[in-house]
Amino acid sequence: MNTPYAARRDRLRQLMRARSLDALLVSHAANRFYLSGFELHDVQLNESAGRLVICADGRDWLCTDARYKDAAARLWDEDRILIYGPDAATEIGQLMRRCGSRLGLEAEIVSLNFARSLGRAVGRGAHLQAADGLVEELRVIKDADEIKALERSFALNHAMLRWLEESQLQPGRSEAELAWAIEKYFRDNGASELAFPSIVAVDQNAALPHAIPGEKKLPDNGLVLVDVGCRVDGYCSDQTRTFWVGDAPHKEFRETMKLVRDAQQAALDKMRPGLPLHEAYTLARGVFEKAGVEAWFTHGLGHGVGLETHEAPSLGRRGDKVLQEGMVVTVEPGLYYPQWGGIRWEYTVLITADGNRIL
């Protein structure tokens, strides 16, 4: 338990004290891993590998079921492991009742039934409240080890994209075939898994920002949008490129690509600590508004990347916080036209003391 994870839990305790919390139930898988190193993934959306009870007095608990008992004992004091049975909520609630009376939980993660059972278990003498976002507040600033892991993940992503452009974009290959080639390259070259299902979209399919690869084939002359990421040492990468296959691209492609790259650069030029999140979005959107094409920019400018592909902060029109040194965010403007396709170009950047650095 004497690891960098313990230092993170101590920082979390400072946030808990500001909320007068005696204990916090951590249920989100990435938050659990960030604080303990235990199980980055849950098995399925409806099944959890476990939860943490972080206590103000420092006597933290790792709660899991019998399948994970040995794995938990490899990194946690066995005297502070709760192995629960079928009624996890009740057993965890009974444990939390012993930790104090002001108790928090990640309400956005647990089901209503779980929260009700937990509430009954802690009893009327305790106050159970939603306490979302506390761990995410820590995760949004990456430490030196996290940045190194992200750099390794992005280095592999860059290498894959070079390989893809130089040798794989051949007319007649299907979107699904390319998606499999991408996944295989990542796994063969050091990734533990994909960060998210690869997006490979040809021509009109590229007008769907989250297109699913299918049997549509690369044409002799046409575009393909590729949005891919891998996981290395627990950390994700995320990059989008839009390629032209064949002879010189048509006028719409060239003009749209220039607008997208100009919009991206307009944001990158100003992104540094203190810039409001919504202003980064506005800078990119302003390029599209000047050209009269803003209606085809249908999503935010970017999002955080780390243990998850999509995490805080969000660079959108409603972003009410500011960029901070140590944040890692995507910058991915795009324009999408159902008639012929879409173009997105994505960098992920580390916010530095005096600006940003592309990973």
Side-chain angles (χ1 to χ4, degrees), residues 156-157 160 182-191 194 229-230:
L156 178 54
N157 200 315
M160 190 286 300
I182 289 165
E183 181 171 0
K184 188 174 186 301
Y185 182 98
F186 278 146
R187 293 296 297 270
D188 286 345
N189 288 277
L194 293 176
C230 63

Side-chain angles (χ1 to χ4, degrees), residues 220-245:
D220 291 331
N221 285 283
L223 67 89
V224 57
L225 184 152
V226 178
D227 187 348
V228 290
C230 63
R231 191 185 297 276
V232 175
D233 298 331
Y235 283 80
C236 299
S237 59
D238 183 6
Q239 296 194 103
T240 307
R241 300 290 184 269
T242 308
F243 303 105
W244 184 267
V245 180

Side-chain angles (χ1 to χ4, degrees), residues 81-267:
I81 297 174
L82 170 68
I83 302 298
Y84 50 70
D87 191 356
T90 296
E91 294 186 56
I92 292 172
Q94 291 169 347
L95 169 66
M96 293 183 71
R97 187 171 57 195
R98 306 202 306 266
C99 298
S101 60
R102 295 188 61 86
L103 310 174
L105 78 161
E106 295 176 325
E108 294 179 2
I109 300 300
V110 303
S111 69
L112 178 60
N113 284 340
F114 186 98
R116 283 172 170 168
S117 296
L118 188 74
R120 287 192 293 268
V122 300
R124 293 185 178 181
H127 176 63
L128 188 64
Q129 62 181 280
D132 295 286
L134 295 183
V135 185
E136 286 83 353
E137 184 174 338
L138 300 177
R139 285 175 53 197
V140 76
I141 305 299
K142 273 54 180 181
D143 63 31
D145 288 337
E146 290 181 292
I147 292 169
K148 289 177 182 177
L150 284 161
E151 288 173 337
R152 291 190 289 271
S153 187
F154 276 90
L156 178 54
N157 200 315
H158 283 295
M160 190 286 300
L161 286 169
R162 288 193 297 270
W163 166 81
L164 188 76
E165 184 176 19
E166 292 169 0
S167 66
Q168 301 300 305
L169 300 181
Q170 300 151 357
R173 300 189 75 181
S174 72
E175 296 166 336
E177 183 181 356
L178 281 174
W180 169 240
I182 289 165
E183 181 171 0
K184 188 174 186 301
Y185 182 98
F186 278 146
R187 293 296 297 270
D188 286 345
N189 288 277
S192 59
E193 60 187 313
L194 293 176
F196 56 92
S198 298
I199 297 170
V200 180
V202 169
D203 288 339
Q204 289 91 343
N205 287 349
L208 306 173
H210 282 186
I212 299 173
E215 295 309 312
K216 190 174 181 65
K217 299 183 185 302
L218 270 66
D220 291 331
N221 285 283
L223 67 89
V224 57
L225 184 152
V226 178
D227 187 348
V228 290
C230 63
R231 191 185 297 276
V232 175
D233 298 331
Y235 283 80
C236 299
S237 59
D238 183 6
Q239 296 194 103
T240 307
R241 300 290 184 269
T242 308
F243 303 105
W244 184 267
V245 180
D247 297 333
H250 56 59
K251 178 182 177 182
E252 291 85 356
F253 182 92
R254 296 195 310 271
E255 292 179 348
T256 303
M257 177 65 79
K258 184 179 187 308
L259 281 171
V260 167
R261 297 299 302 274
D262 286 350
Q264 182 184 61
Q265 195 61 50

Side-chain angles (χ1 to χ4, degrees), residues 290-354:
K290 186 176 180 180
V293 299
E294 70 277 8
W296 288 273
F297 179 35
T298 57
H299 52 71
L301 179 63
H303 53 81
V305 179
L307 290 172
E308 297 176 287
T309 310
H310 289 83
E311 57 183 50
S314 176
L315 277 64
R317 67 179 71 205
R318 291 186 296 274
D320 59 355
K321 297 183 179 179
V322 301
L323 291 173
Q324 301 176 60
E325 183 179 358
M327 285 181 171
V328 173
V329 295
T330 68
V331 186
E332 49 178 312
L335 293 170
Y336 308 95
Y337 299 95
Q339 301 88 348
W340 60 267
I343 293 178
R344 183 165 68 252
W345 197 274
E346 176 181 19
Y347 288 137
T348 299
V349 302
L350 169 69
I351 303 302
T352 61
D354 57 358

